Each structure stands twice: as structure tokens, then as C-alpha cells.
Amino acid sequence: MLNISDFNNNLLAWYQANKRDLPWRRTSDPYHIWLSEVMLQQTQVITVIPYFEKFITNYPDLDALADADEGSLLKDWEGLGYYNRIRNFHAAVKEVQNTYDSTVPDDPDAFFSLKGVGPYIGGAVQSIAFNNLLAAVDGNVLRVMARLNLDYRDMTKASVQKSVKQDIEAVLPLEAGDFNQALMELGAVICTPRTPKCIMCPVQQHCEAYKEGQVSELPVKKRAKSKKEIYYNVYFILNDKGEIMLRKQEGTLLGGMYELPKYDIDTSIETIEEELGVPLDHPNIHTGSVKHVFTHQVWYMEGYVLYTKGAHEDFVPRAEVAKLPMSRAMQKIYRQLEM
DNA sequence: AAATCGTGGTC
DNA sequence: TGACCAAGATT
């Protein structure tokens, strides 16, 4: 950068003149700002907006969310993905309720110790809500900085991200919250991954990559590994009381969400009967196929209807199913039963 | 340090 | 169509 003060002034002036009207910019409530940052993790602004509105309606203050039950939170989060975010946020908010008298700490060390608060969310909330002098380095900022400084390091590496964060904090102006948002906004609107609008860029004269004609070569990122393909048979197990078997997923992937019993395709019905402890009648009704793409997996699911006269604790009345949180993956195949 | 964790949109 | 991307954190 040629001149830091010149750079900061240009960037902040551009930000103020082009500021988008986003719901979380209408509030100064640290709890609302924190909630928005948790939702925005790896998620586009346009996707977050309706979820944010729903949450501040259903859980208007920190105590309301802390006192809510996890099932209702997961149901309201349904479809947003990365479901551990809301479970971590729930735990963190409860800790604020118990330890900090329901007041979000205006203190980086205290705040960073909370569940789900990493380098980005910590910096973003502390700077935007309290104007503490910390950088908020997200994917936008990494891209902008790589181009400004003609930085060819692999931006997916944690060590590089930490270094970029320190570089920014060395030049951070007193308006830290606005500066952080301006840098992210620049990345989102002008300095985009493909076909960046350099002609419109308020800091074009500070950009080394633009000078060298290297904008489209940056940032450097190692490419993602290929996805693992998994094949499941998914079963609609119905009893004679109008109920269907649905159970809560364990583990880290979709943990807490409800699912139809699913088994690797070469699992026999006898094995499933043994595992569930109920006799199963297999009329060979195939409801259809679904492909669902995750970040690191692809599921290929085949749906089948089974009947049983046995008793099991995981039966749910068909009318109650819609009240339970279910992943998009499972919703796609569940819909086949209604057709 | 590298793998894992969702979903929807784009080209 | 497949690969990439989006206000990243955790283990």
C-alpha cells in the first residue's frame, strides 16, 4: 500500500457511500451482531437474511435464546447447514447468561473463550459491537489482501491467515468496525473472485496485482479434495398406527437432526431387523432415488417402504414429522413418501 | 496441519 | 456437469 491513511480514507468513504441496508446493520445490540456473524459463517448474505429475521423475532434477546430448547433452535436453523453452529452458539449464550450476567463481554479474551468464537467472529463482533481494535479476516478480506499486496501464499493455510490478520491490525484505524466491514464489502461487491470490477475500485491505485496484471491469478488456494461417494438405502418403516420410524442423528455430520433409518446398500433386511429389534415386511416398494452433495461427501439414496407390527421407541406420528428438524438431504427423500 | 462440517448458486 | 464459492470453527 502506498499510503495507509490515503487507503483507509478512500475505502471508508466508498463504504459509507455504498452501504447496503442489511438487517444486522440496523442494530447495535451485540447479541444480534454476534448472531448474524454466526449465521454468516460460510453462508451468503442473501441466504442469511430470512433466518436472521426469524431468530430475532423468536429469540429477541440473549436470555430468550439461552432459555430456548435445542430442538426448537435446530428447527428454526433447519436448511441453513453447519448445524453445530447453533448448538455452539446456544452453549456460548448460556455461558454469557451464567457468567457475564447476560451481557456479551466487551473484552476480546473473555469473548474468544466462548464456544464457536474463532479468529473471524471474535474480531468481527468485538470491532463492530464494541469498536475494539481487532481485524475480521474472512474469505473476502483474504482475497482483497492477496491482490493488494501481490501475495502468492496459499490463503487456505491457517498460518498465512494469521499473518494477514496481523498485517491488517498494524494499520487498523480507530473506526475498526467500519473498516472491517468496508474491507469485506469491497471483496463482496468489487474485488470478486471472478471478473472483479477493478474500474470501480476505490483503492485501485494501491493494488499491486492490478499494477502487474495479476488480479485474476490471485488469491492462490490449494484445490479441494474430491468427495467421497456413499450409497444408502433409506427406509420408510411404517406401523399400523399411522406412525413412521424417525431417529435423531448422532455424530458430527447432521448431529441433532432427525433421519429415516439408513443403511449401507449391502446391509440385509435381516441385519436391520436384528439391529432394530422389530420384524420387517418388505413389499419391495421403491419410492425413488436422491443425490445429495455435501462439502466432502455425496450421498446416493434409494428409498424403500417397509411395514412392521413390532414396537419401537422411535416411532413418530406422521403428522408430527414436520415439527422435527430434518436436514435437506433427508427432506429430499422424505418428500417421496407424500407423492 | 489437514480433515470435517451443509446448502444453494454460478459458470 | 463438476468445481468453486459464501462475513469459518473445531478437532
Side-chain angles (χ1 to χ4, degrees):
Chain A
M1 299 176 199
L2 298 174
N3 180 311
I4 290 165
S5 155
D6 191 36
F7 174 89
N8 289 358
N9 290 342
N10 289 354
L11 180 63
L12 285 168
W14 171 84
Y15 174 62
Q16 296 302 342
N18 298 278
K19 207 165 174 177
R20 283 184 289 176
D21 178 33
L22 303 175
W24 43 91
R25 287 188 179 152
R26 296 178 199 148
T27 175
S28 58
D29 184 338
Y31 155 74
H32 287 174
I33 293 169
W34 182 11
L35 171 63
S36 74
E37 296 299 346
V38 174
M39 290 182 160
L40 286 163
Q41 181 186 332
Q42 295 287 278
T43 310
Q44 297 197 2
V45 165
I46 190 70
T47 305
V48 166
I49 291 173
Y51 284 90
F52 180 78
E53 303 282 16
K54 185 197 316 184
F55 268 73
I56 58 172
T57 300
N58 292 352
Y59 317 100
D61 55 45
L62 189 142
D63 287 307
L65 196 139
D67 295 338
D69 64 271
E70 185 175 294
S72 121
L73 291 171
L74 276 171
K75 183 63 190 173
D76 286 342
W77 197 272
E78 179 184 272
L80 199 51
Y82 286 152
Y83 297 97
N84 267 330
R85 286 184 293 176
I86 184 58
R87 303 211 284 183
N88 286 340
F89 186 58
H90 194 202
V93 157
K94 278 184 170 177
E95 186 172 346
V96 171
Q97 183 183 52
N98 295 330
T99 310
Y100 303 106
D101 192 26
S102 298
T103 303
V104 179
D106 176 358
D107 171 358
D109 288 336
F111 191 66
F112 274 108
S113 75
L114 299 168
K115 252 187 188 167
V117 177
Y120 168 76
I121 291 182
V125 173
Q126 289 295 311
S127 66
I128 296 169
F130 305 118
N131 217 30
N132 286 323
L133 298 182
L134 295 174
V137 178
D138 72 335
N140 288 311
V141 173
L142 290 172
R143 181 173 58 256
V144 170
M145 295 302 286
R147 289 172 175 168
L148 282 172
N149 297 328
L150 200 65
D151 186 345
Y152 288 101
R153 290 177 297 174
D154 179 358
M155 287 295 156
T156 66
K157 293 173 80 77
S159 57
V160 176
Q161 297 179 5
K162 187 174 176 184
S163 154
V164 170
K165 180 171 158 71
Q166 290 171 347
D167 292 345
I168 295 173
E169 284 172 351
V171 299
L172 203 59
L174 292 178
E175 314 92 310
D178 280 346
F179 181 85
N180 285 332
Q181 294 186 80
L183 216 45
M184 290 189 275
E185 192 87 352
L186 186 72
V189 176
I190 302 289
C191 196
T192 50
R194 290 176 293 234
T195 63
K197 302 161 185 62
C198 297
I199 300 302
M200 312 273 290
C201 183
V203 291
Q204 184 200 96
Q205 70 274 26
H206 300 269
C207 185
E208 298 293 332
Y210 183 77
K211 234 174 274 177
E212 304 293 329
Q214 292 287 84
V215 173
S216 60
E217 309 302 318
L218 293 164
V220 174
K221 303 170 87 169
K222 72 165 175 291
R223 45 175 293 171
K225 51 177 287 193
S226 61
K227 301 177 197 305
K228 183 178 181 186
E229 299 186 315
I230 302 178
Y231 296 83
Y232 286 123
N233 284 334
V234 179
Y235 294 105
F236 300 94
I237 305 179
L238 307 171
N239 67 13
D240 49 15
K241 291 184 281 192
E243 296 173 331
I244 185 167
M245 192 179 291
L246 215 56
R247 51 192 187 183
K248 195 185 283 195
Q249 284 185 237
E250 304 296 335
T252 50
L253 179 58
L254 304 178
M257 308 300 278
Y258 283 79
E259 66 168 355
L260 294 161
K262 65 183 197 311
Y263 294 89
D264 194 273
I265 44 166
D266 50 27
T267 307
S268 70
I269 293 294
E270 289 72 25
T271 303
I272 299 172
E273 284 181 313
E274 211 168 296
E275 214 165 282
L276 295 178
V278 293
L280 296 170
D281 181 19
H282 195 337
N284 217 16
I285 302 172
H286 183 223
T287 60
S289 309
V290 164
K291 175 186 180 182
H292 187 82
V293 181
F294 295 91
T295 307
H296 289 287
Q297 292 181 16
V298 185
W299 285 5
Y300 295 94
M301 295 176 277
E302 303 294 337
Y304 293 97
V305 176
L306 302 178
Y307 296 106
T308 186
K309 293 187 170 155
H312 193 280
E313 60 175 355
D314 291 331
F315 275 111
V316 177
R318 291 276 300 275
E320 303 287 311
V321 173
K323 299 179 185 171
L324 298 172
M326 196 181 284
S327 70
R328 289 291 191 242
M330 203 50 66
Q331 286 178 354
K332 283 188 197 168
I333 196 133
Y334 186 80
R335 274 199 294 270
Q336 297 182 343
L337 191 59
E338 333 256 277
M339 298 165 63

